[in-house]
Amino acid sequence: MLIEIERGRNQTLQQIRDLAARFGNRIEIMEGTGVFDTIHVIGDTRGFGDREDYVRSLPGVRAFFHAASGYANIARTIRGKDGVAQRRDRRVVEVPGLDGKIRRIGGGKHMFLVGPDSPQTLPQTLAIARMARELGERFGILDRLILRGGAFKPRTRPNDWRGLGMKGIAMLDAAREESGIPYVTEIMDHNRVEEIGTHADMLQIGTRNAQNFDLLESVGRFGKPVILKRGFGNEIEEWFYAAEYVANQGNLNICLCERGMKTLFTKGGYCRNQPDLNAITHARKQTILPVIFDPSHVAGDYRIVPENLMASVAHLVDGTITETLHEESFRQEQLCDAAQALTMESYSVLVEAVLTYEEKVLPLMRKVTGEPDPNR
Ligand code: PEP
Ligand code: MN
């Protein structure tokens, strides 16, 4: 634990020294070049760390850093035997399908999560599932496809359409039945995890609920695979802590999803959310969890979804989750996120682009970035 303090604050220094002694910690002071020094608190600092707010409140304290991560269950580097750093392998999140194929997110091949923003009609939902199946067969990637669709929609404006609820879940069930492809759906209420989770193959926690701790824990206890979107205003570590809420309930089947954030620049309207592509790389380095990307909510406009998706592929993302229409004429019927949906026809071209990139360019990217090829 490191504390930055103004030089000459002797009373504060003594208070920190006393607090450290109370928890059996030793301190060392490193002199800075300017007017701040750094106090290093050494030893098992958990008790001391619990007093962070108190320490921050002392006069002259400028910053307080936790050296140890608070997300040991998902961290890539943990404290191993004898206190030596241990680097763990990245995890693969497995989602089995009715067709007997297991979807492996984080297994080294790009995973394609695709479907409507929300199931609205049965013909629409089934048509997308059939097209996805056809796409999977055509490119030999059925085991890399997962359907998506939100039946419970978090809406900013309370009078907007909020999804079909369990009727929508029944449509997704039918789509899975017909195509054999598993599906992911959003869950918002921690009291309904079991009810919805017994239907779904994978649960999504959306950006608005990314720090709903009751929900995170319920989904953690339930155990089915989870997509955890990053809160649109969350710092990267807050996202990791949210994942830790799921993990520390015993569920490590978590897939992180970067979906962009609200910034000063999104206000002007050229994109809906600003993507943090470097977060993909960072999350893949700092955690053992697979990381996917959502180009649809980043873009907000189907015309700029393709380049966003490909940018994430260049960032070695483990998969993408994309919203689609079965046909262009449905755009005017769609009650949520109509502007950002790609037609399945365009999507299939994009899939071909990803597969081509994967074959031709990714081996070179892996060489340049030093990322090991998990297939080898
Ligand atoms: C969605 O996937 O439709 C959705 C609402 O996502 P987000 O939580 O990222 O906005
Ligand atoms: Mn959406």
Side-chain angles (χ1 to χ4, degrees):
M1 224 148 261
L2 299 171
I3 299 154
E4 270 182 7
I5 181 175
E6 276 171 23
R7 191 162 312 135
R9 292 284 190 170
N10 293 335
Q11 196 184 342
T12 296
L13 185 59
Q14 192 53 47
Q15 282 167 298
I16 291 174
R17 199 188 292 282
D18 291 346
L19 188 67
R22 188 178 142 199
F23 292 104
N25 300 134
R26 195 162 60 77
I27 68 166
E28 268 175 20
I29 300 165
M30 295 169 277
E31 244 182 59
T33 49
V35 293
F36 290 98
D37 293 332
T38 305
I39 303 171
H40 188 184
V41 185
I42 302 162
D44 178 346
T45 53
R46 281 172 292 188
F48 186 94
D50 287 343
R51 272 74 184 173
E52 173 179 344
D53 284 351
Y54 160 68
V55 175
R56 280 182 184 277
S57 76
L58 297 173
V61 169
R62 186 169 78 150
F64 189 112
F65 303 99
H66 287 264
S69 82
Y71 42 88
N73 284 295
I74 62 157
R76 192 82 189 276
T77 307
I78 54 164
R79 191 183 152 99
K81 273 195 218 94
D82 310 325
V84 177
Q86 186 195 328
R87 197 142 170 85
R88 293 189 293 176
D89 289 339
R90 299 187 61 237
R91 281 181 70 81
V92 175
V93 171
E94 297 195 338
V95 186
L98 274 186
D99 56 9
K101 298 184 197 302
I102 295 177
R103 278 71 182 170
R104 304 180 77 246
I105 311 173
K109 296 209 163 124
H110 191 92
M111 297 300 294
F112 299 92
L113 293 85
V114 62
D117 164 78
S118 25
Q120 242 178 265
T121 72
L122 189 59
Q124 163 230 18
T125 311
L126 292 182
I128 291 185
R130 271 187 224 122
M131 287 167 155
R133 180 159 189 100
E134 191 272 324
L135 178 71
E137 280 165 354
R138 179 149 46 106
F139 292 114
I141 54 159
L142 254 184
D143 62 345
R144 293 161 69 173
L145 281 170
I146 294 177
L147 295 171
R148 64 142 287 145
F152 294 88
K153 300 296 307 167
R155 299 307 297 269
T156 303
R157 290 179 290 268
N159 297 326
D160 284 353
W161 184 76
R162 287 157 80 178
L164 294 181
M166 289 313 284
K167 272 194 201 138
I169 297 288
M171 290 176 189
L172 292 165
D173 283 350
R176 171 182 53 202
E177 193 65 39
E178 178 151 331
S179 65
I181 305 174
Y183 74 83
V184 58
T185 197
E186 176 158 359
I187 178 128
M188 298 198 293
D189 181 348
H190 71 272
N191 291 310
R192 300 186 77 174
V193 172
E194 187 135 357
E195 180 192 0
I196 297 159
T198 40
H199 288 266
D201 302 287
M202 190 175 201
L203 293 170
Q204 171 175 314
I205 296 179
T207 197
R208 292 163 185 80
N209 276 306
Q211 286 183 304
N212 179 339
F213 303 119
D214 287 341
L215 180 62
L216 292 164
E217 286 188 335
S218 297
V219 163
R221 282 191 295 275
F222 190 63
K224 270 203 180 166
V226 186
I227 291 177
L228 174 60
K229 294 211 170 180
R230 179 178 177 184
F232 50 60
N234 280 175
E235 289 171 5
I236 197 136
E237 298 242 315
E238 290 172 328
W239 188 25
F240 298 164
Y241 290 130
E244 182 73 10
Y245 268 95
V246 178
N248 71 18
Q249 298 300 309
N251 184 0
L252 278 168
N253 296 316
I254 309 161
C255 203
L256 297 171
C257 179
E258 165 62 31
R259 49 80 72 207
M261 49 190 64
K262 289 189 195 296
T263 70
L264 198 59
F265 311 109
T266 53
K267 199 97 178 110
Y270 68 85
C271 66
R272 184 176 177 190
N273 288 286
Q274 192 145 13
D276 182 2
L277 292 164
N278 292 319
I280 297 171
T281 314
H282 187 68
R284 291 178 86 246
K285 286 198 172 133
Q286 295 302 313
T287 79
I288 54 172
L289 305 177
V291 182
I292 64 170
F293 181 71
D294 175 343
S296 306
H297 290 86
V298 156
D301 177 340
Y302 72 94
R303 283 161 288 222
I304 53 170
V305 168
E307 39 275 72
N308 277 287
L309 191 148
M310 289 310 290
S312 74
V313 175
H315 281 73
L316 307 180
V317 81
D318 294 301
T320 42
I321 180 162
T322 311
E323 293 186 347
T324 55
L325 295 168
H326 62 301
E327 55 189 27
E328 183 57 43
S329 64
F330 195 75
R331 196 179 300 280
Q332 60 180 296
E333 305 304 326
Q334 188 157 315
L335 299 172
C336 181
D337 289 351
Q340 67 194 31
L342 277 181
T343 59
M344 281 301 283
E345 201 182 339
S346 303
Y347 183 72
S348 65
V349 179
L350 205 43
V351 168
E352 195 173 349
V354 174
L355 295 176
T356 309
Y357 188 97
E358 203 171 68
E359 190 194 342
K360 306 271 191 222
V361 186
L362 265 193
L364 300 172
M365 285 294 288
R366 290 211 166 97
K367 225 186 221 173
V368 171
T369 60
E371 172 92 2
D373 182 348
N375 298 314
R376 234 180 295 150

